[in-house]
Amino acid sequence: MTAPADALDPVRAELLRAARAEAEAVLGRARADADETVRLARGTAEKVLAQARDLGAADGRAAATRERVRAAADAWARELAARAEVFADLRVKTRCGVRQALVDGALPSARFAETARALLGADARITAVQGGGVTAEAPGRRLDLSADTLADRALARMGVRIESLWERP
Amino acid sequence: MSGFADVEYTGVRELRGPLVVVEGVCGVGWDEFATIALDSGERRHGLVLEVDRDLAVVQVLEDTAGMDRTGTRIAFSGTPLRIPVGAGWLGRVCNGRGEPADGGPPVLGATDTAVAGAPINPVRREPPNEPVLTGVSAVDVLTTLVRGQKLPVFSAAGLPHLELAVQIAAQATCGGEAFAVVFAGMGLTHADASFVRAGLAERSAARELVLLLNTADDPVIERLLTPRIALTVAEDLAFTEGRHVLVVMTDMTAYSEALREVSAARGEIPARRAYPGYLYSDLASLYERCGRIRGRPGSVTVLPVLTMPAGDITHPVPDLTGYITEGQIVLSAEVYAVGTYPPIDPLASLSRLMRKGAGAGRTRADHPDVAAQLIAALARSRQVRELADLIGRSALSPTDLRHLDLEDAFRQRFLTQATDENRPLDDSLDRAWDVLLTLPRSQLGMLPADLLDARQAGAQKPGEAP
């Protein structure tokens, strides 16, 4: 003899099945939502990461460019300073050379007086300068024929030939 | 003067401001260059402003501070200022009278040339052609700078014209051909001078730049020499050394004000707004030194920058400049106010020689059409914006609304760029296309159909409906 079947069993079973199915569906949707959220989050994270990489790379490139420019500018500034030093040295040597040449009598002192009188007049007052050469004065006018001035003028006339001091042969 | 020594004049009658009045001189002429020796051993320089019998008025470039009548000697060179010219200028930073400010030796050259120069003989001029690319979209695409052209930038106080001038000077190229920039800064503040030096350091270290900096506190007479020295150096680099040279001169309004001061010191009759009557011919004597010469390599292109006092385009300096030059790039306070750099007003700007420097074989075949269409579309956008102000946006037609979108797209995608962004021409033109394609095809009648087909096909993503 079997126990009498509960008339509500099928209903209960159906309700259970429906509830399970619904739960499965909810769970599926939740899983899908979670997957989608994770996918979107991964996508966003990848984008943020790529953006950060790009920004980092751009910052790095900018910093490298700045450093390269600064290094090139520093190198050029040092080269210019070295050229200026060489030029100053040449000027000192030229002045010494001209002084020595005048001491050695390369130019007769009378020539200075002649030049001064030719330019300023016969009554020009001529004064010998320490280091060689003369200065001459007339009212309102003056002439500098000192060794240093002559050396500087000679140096100025050399022009671009001076660049041979620092140019590669 | 003799080849052996210069006679120095000691009869200083008066020292007045930057002027020295010397008596007892003989054979001295206007604009002659003078060297002034002080008892301390210091040497200064000057220009003859006025000669009357045995009196000469010399304006001292370094001012007369510290000078006294008895210990001052003045030697005249017999000619206006001459400078050595040659490749030795490249990479150098000098003050406004061409003396080194970079710690280097004096600039040396194989020959000396008078800085006053002479405009190119018109019959020997070659018409400008081929572009100078600046890496600035609005300039390269809409107001293309052409080799041998003179194209000024019209700006106003407070606008970033110096930034733009430095950016162009730092980025400009001539398609791989030998190129150099001569930058003449006039009346710059020390902060601005420092900004220019920093912005152009790379080009300077690469020996592609000559930088002349006359600061606001330098004597005004030096400001008159600065652009002339710049152009003299540029002419030699171009026509002897065979380079394409871009000369950027900023600020020409400061130059003109210096001219006004010197003119007043000379006692000349003032003309409009107290500028001398010869302002036009003086500006022309600078601007007309650009160009190309038949049978010679190289070119000199001039980009003067000037500020319009109170934004007044009818002020004598922009007004007269506009008569001489071949177009203008106008900076707009309205565009700058919305945070756009460079704030170029495309509808007020124009390069009259653009057709000679743009197109197939020069820039890109579609360039002239794209530029013309973009300008036309922007003009329509401006009309639509004014209409929207009157009748409201909701009353506009869909096509009108697209034109408003185009204006925004133009500013955001095309015009705006960073001060250190060197945009290749292809990128600039592609951006121009992107902006244009915000309009329906019916509004792009200036573009050839085949170009539009190709562009629209390229712009559509796969699977997207046309």
Side-chain angles (χ1 to χ4, degrees):
Chain A
M1 183 175 168
T2 56
D6 190 338
L8 289 177
D9 275 354
V11 175
R12 201 175 288 122
E14 179 54 27
L15 282 173
L16 199 60
R17 192 199 55 75
R20 279 189 180 131
E22 197 178 334
E24 280 298 319
V26 168
L27 200 61
R29 278 202 302 274
R31 279 197 186 112
D33 280 354
D35 288 349
E36 179 62 13
T37 305
V38 169
R39 195 184 62 75
L40 285 176
R42 282 202 178 117
T44 308
E46 272 167 23
K47 271 188 204 155
V48 168
L49 201 62
Q51 214 170 12
R53 271 197 203 106
D54 288 349
L55 285 174
D59 281 353
R61 276 196 302 274
T65 303
R66 275 197 303 276
E67 198 55 40
R68 185 172 49 75
V69 169
R70 194 167 49 210
D74 285 352
W76 177 230
R78 280 186 196 146
E79 187 178 333
L80 284 174
R83 287 182 184 189
E85 212 173 293
V86 171
F87 182 82
D89 190 41
L90 176 68
R91 168 179 265 168
V92 169
K93 283 181 177 156
T94 310
R95 284 183 170 188
C96 289
V98 172
R99 284 179 182 201
Q100 189 58 48
L102 292 182
V103 169
D104 295 345
L107 209 61
S109 55
R111 172 88 185 275
F112 288 112
E114 275 169 31
T115 306
R117 290 202 175 94
L119 289 169
L120 296 187
D123 56 346
R125 188 158 49 85
I126 294 164
T127 314
V129 177
Q130 194 180 8
V134 301
T135 59
E137 283 185 59
R141 290 178 300 157
R142 183 178 184 276
L143 195 62
D144 185 351
L145 296 174
S146 65
D148 288 353
T149 303
L150 295 177
D152 289 350
R153 288 174 69 88
L155 200 60
R157 275 199 298 271
M158 282 187 74
V160 78
R161 281 178 291 162
I162 294 171
E163 287 187 348
S164 62
L165 286 173
W166 51 74
E167 271 180 357
R168 289 191 185 91
Chain B
M1 170 190 177
S2 81
F4 196 44
D6 288 339
V7 173
E8 295 173 314
Y9 293 93
T10 55
V12 175
R13 179 187 278 190
E14 193 180 355
L15 292 168
R16 180 160 37 94
L19 305 179
V20 181
V21 183
V22 203
E23 59 188 357
V25 301
C26 172
V28 173
W30 263 45
D31 286 333
E32 204 168 300
F33 194 65
T35 304
I36 300 144
L38 277 58
D39 264 352
S40 62
E42 186 189 348
R43 284 187 178 271
R44 298 185 187 184
H45 305 90
L47 285 183
V48 177
L49 283 195
E50 179 81 78
V51 182
D52 184 13
R53 290 179 286 272
D54 71 336
L55 278 183
V57 179
V58 177
Q59 180 145 17
V60 184
L61 297 181
E62 298 89 345
D63 213 338
T64 52
M67 289 169 57
D68 73 78
R69 282 180 51 226
T70 51
T72 300
R73 312 184 302 272
I74 300 164
F76 297 96
S77 66
T79 63
L81 176 61
R82 297 177 74 85
I83 55 163
V85 289
W89 282 91
L90 291 169
R92 301 304 304 270
V93 180
C94 297
N95 63 18
R97 53 185 181 279
E99 290 172 352
D102 53 9
V107 180
L108 305 166
T111 51
D112 281 357
T113 305
V115 298
I120 299 169
N121 181 346
V123 300
R124 292 196 62 206
R125 270 187 191 275
E126 284 281 356
N129 71 3
E130 302 287 333
V132 176
L133 294 177
T134 64
V136 177
S137 293
V139 176
D140 288 346
V141 175
L142 300 178
T143 54
T144 312
L145 184 59
V146 182
R147 296 176 201 174
Q149 184 181 14
K150 40 195 179 289
L151 186 64
V153 175
F154 285 6
S155 184
L159 295 183
H161 46 270
L162 192 64
E163 284 85 341
L164 182 62
V166 168
Q167 184 173 15
I168 290 175
Q171 296 180 172
T173 55
C174 262
E177 294 187 45
F179 185 72
V181 175
V182 180
F183 192 104
M186 290 162 279
L188 300 180
T189 62
H190 284 257
D192 284 347
S194 168
F195 168 76
V196 171
R197 281 193 76 161
L200 297 176
E202 184 172 15
R203 189 138 232 178
S204 187
R207 327 273 164 92
E208 291 179 342
L209 177 85
V210 181
L211 187 52
L212 298 169
L213 292 173
N214 164 272
T215 53
D217 54 344
D218 284 330
V220 287
I221 190 85
E222 181 182 305
R223 211 159 294 154
L224 303 188
L225 291 177
T226 306
R228 292 179 166 80
I229 293 173
L231 287 161
T232 306
V233 171
E235 283 164 349
D236 181 76
L237 289 174
F239 304 129
T240 309
E241 303 274 334
R243 290 171 181 263
H244 297 290
V245 185
L246 174 65
V247 183
V248 180
M249 304 193 291
T250 178
D251 172 346
M252 290 306 291
T253 306
Y255 167 85
S256 302
E257 279 163 7
L259 193 69
R260 179 165 65 181
E261 266 189 62
V262 171
S263 169
R266 279 177 162 158
E268 291 164 347
I269 296 168
R272 196 155 52 127
R273 297 215 193 179
Y275 289 100
Y278 53 79
L279 179 62
Y280 175 79
S281 50
D282 187 276
L283 290 175
S285 74
L286 298 176
Y287 299 150
E288 292 290 1
R289 288 173 73 174
C290 71
R292 297 164 66 232
I293 300 179
R294 192 179 306 147
R296 298 268 192 100
S299 62
V300 175
T301 309
V302 173
L303 188 87
V305 179
L306 50 97
T307 46
M308 300 178 287
D312 178 11
I313 205 164
T314 66
H315 183 273
V317 178
D319 186 31
L320 298 178
T321 298
Y323 284 129
I324 305 162
T325 52
E326 292 141 347
Q328 68 279 327
I329 297 167
V330 178
L331 302 193
S332 154
E334 191 191 343
V335 178
Y336 192 52
V338 294
T340 301
Y341 172 88
I344 293 173
D345 180 348
L347 297 182
S349 303
L350 169 74
S351 167
R352 289 184 207 284
L353 304 180
M354 181 175 161
R355 292 269 160 186
K356 294 177 187 296
R362 297 187 178 110
T363 50
R364 212 169 80 175
D366 58 347
H367 182 177
D369 292 329
V370 168
Q373 179 66 77
L374 193 51
I375 291 290
L378 287 167
R380 173 81 183 130
S381 298
R382 187 166 292 182
Q383 284 175 341
V384 170
R385 182 154 50 87
E386 285 165 3
L387 190 66
D389 289 344
L390 285 174
I391 62 172
R393 200 180 162 101
S394 57
L396 296 177
S397 71
T399 306
D400 285 347
L401 290 171
R402 299 276 283 270
H403 272 100
L404 288 184
D405 293 343
L406 173 125
E407 201 175 31
D408 291 340
F410 171 78
R411 204 171 50 244
Q412 287 160 11
R413 286 190 242 156
F414 179 85
L415 186 59
T416 300
Q417 70 181 86
T419 51
D420 59 352
E421 183 184 355
N422 188 356
R423 215 175 259 172
L425 180 70
D426 276 336
D427 185 15
S428 293
L429 282 169
D430 290 346
R431 284 167 185 264
W433 270 106
D434 285 349
V435 172
L436 284 171
L437 291 178
T438 59
L439 290 180
R441 187 168 175 141
S442 61
Q443 299 297 309
L444 301 173
M446 297 170 82
L447 293 171
D450 55 335
L451 274 181
L452 262 175
D453 291 342
R455 275 284 157 181
Q456 283 186 318
Q460 280 158 10
K461 290 172 190 161
E464 193 179 348

